[in-house]
Amino acid sequence: MEKILLKTEIRDPKTDLAKNVKKNGMMPAELYGHNVTNVHLSLQQGEFEKALRKAGESTIIELNLPDGSTRNVLIQSVQRHYLTSAPIHADFYEVKMSEKMTATIPLEFVGESHAVKALGGTLVTTLSEVEVECLPGDLPHTIEVDISGMKTFEDTITVKDLKVSDKVTINAESEELVAKVQQPRDMEAEMAEPVGDIDVSQVEGVADKDGTPAEDAPAEEKK
């Protein structure tokens, strides 16, 4: 995957108010990390949106700071406008390329299941993402899950079936279910099932078996 670069500017939180930053098409951001001094930044909102679409929160981004240095970061969180959903603030977490880290990687389901297309089943996914551990440079953007091998309703996909590099460790139980195909309901068979006998003597307001009215029947029925 090509490198994703973002140019930034230093922001003085005491003088550069957020609303003034946004007037110029910019948005505020924070850079932090383990043993890293926090840096207040601003960057072009449009450029950030492009980077976010490409990188998500699991791909390394290179931040270019005004002093000429470059920081390798992950998008840690994004604050969005409550009406437009446009990003209005971002947090970047600086990573050390020589130190292993954990990150949550989304699963991307690909292929076509015979059990779904030909047999009318419904694909049921129980996981949409998994946590992995690896060096920052080895982080996968997504993990593809090929469902084409699911040909019957007995076929399943578990964590051990996920294909990742040998440099990546998935932090989940190997037998944890990822996906299965649910068999379609047989509505005709369900409708044909006999309905159990109902003891009408137990229904409120119905006469007892000897013909006398139930205790809670209306007074006029007891006359």
Side-chain angles (χ1 to χ4, degrees):
M1 186 174 181
E2 63 177 311
K3 288 184 178 180
I4 302 175
L5 307 175
L6 272 178
K7 293 182 179 180
T8 64
E9 297 178 9
I10 298 297
R11 173 176 56 87
D12 185 345
K14 295 180 180 179
T15 58
D16 297 336
L17 298 178
K19 62 180 180 180
N20 293 331
V21 171
K22 295 171 188 174
K23 284 182 180 179
N24 300 317
M26 307 286 282
M27 58 176 278
E30 297 291 330
L31 170 63
Y32 62 93
H34 182 60
N35 292 328
V36 174
T37 302
N38 286 20
V39 183
H40 307 293
L41 302 170
S42 61
L43 64 162
Q44 285 288 340
Q45 185 183 54
E47 293 302 311
F48 173 77
E49 288 188 272
K50 291 179 184 177
L52 180 60
R53 285 194 294 270
K54 289 182 179 179
E57 298 182 11
S58 59
T59 300
I60 300 296
I61 291 176
E62 292 187 4
L63 282 189
N64 292 335
L65 272 60
D67 62 4
S69 64
T70 299
R71 308 288 186 91
N72 294 301
V73 303
L74 289 174
I75 299 175
Q76 189 72 8
S77 64
V78 180
Q79 182 181 347
R80 295 181 178 275
H81 191 278
Y82 72 101
L83 288 178
T84 65
S85 295
I88 57 176
H89 187 279
D91 288 338
F92 296 105
Y93 184 82
E94 183 173 353
V95 299
K96 303 297 183 184
M97 299 303 287
S98 59
E99 295 179 2
K100 285 189 174 183
M101 60 170 294
T102 59
T104 301
I105 308 299
L107 301 181
E108 181 181 357
F109 293 87
V110 299
E112 193 172 76
S113 166
H114 176 80
V116 172
K117 184 178 181 181
L119 304 182
T122 301
L123 179 67
V124 177
T125 59
T126 56
L127 288 179
S128 60
E129 58 188 20
V130 292
E131 183 183 83
V132 305
E133 182 178 2
C134 61
L135 291 173
D138 296 323
L139 271 178
H141 180 59
T142 60
I143 297 176
E144 285 194 352
V145 184
D146 187 0
I147 66 172
S148 60
M150 304 176 76
K151 301 184 182 302
T152 71
F153 299 125
E154 286 71 40
D155 293 327
T156 61
I157 297 175
T158 59
V159 168
K160 68 182 178 184
D161 300 316
L162 300 180
K163 307 299 183 185
V164 294
S165 163
D166 57 4
K167 298 177 182 179
V168 177
T169 300
I170 299 177
N171 294 334
E173 294 293 333
S174 62
E175 296 298 329
E176 185 171 358
L177 183 66
V178 174
K180 65 178 183 178
V181 178
Q182 183 172 300
Q183 190 170 353
R185 294 175 60 184
D186 189 341
M187 299 301 295
E188 291 186 3
E190 291 181 17
M191 294 294 291
E193 289 182 3
V195 178
D197 294 334
I198 300 175
D199 184 356
V200 295
S201 67
Q202 301 301 316
V203 179
E204 183 179 352
V206 176
D208 293 335
K209 291 181 180 179
D210 59 2
T212 59
E215 288 298 323
D216 55 352
E220 59 271 21
E221 293 184 15
K222 295 184 179 180
K223 292 181 180 180

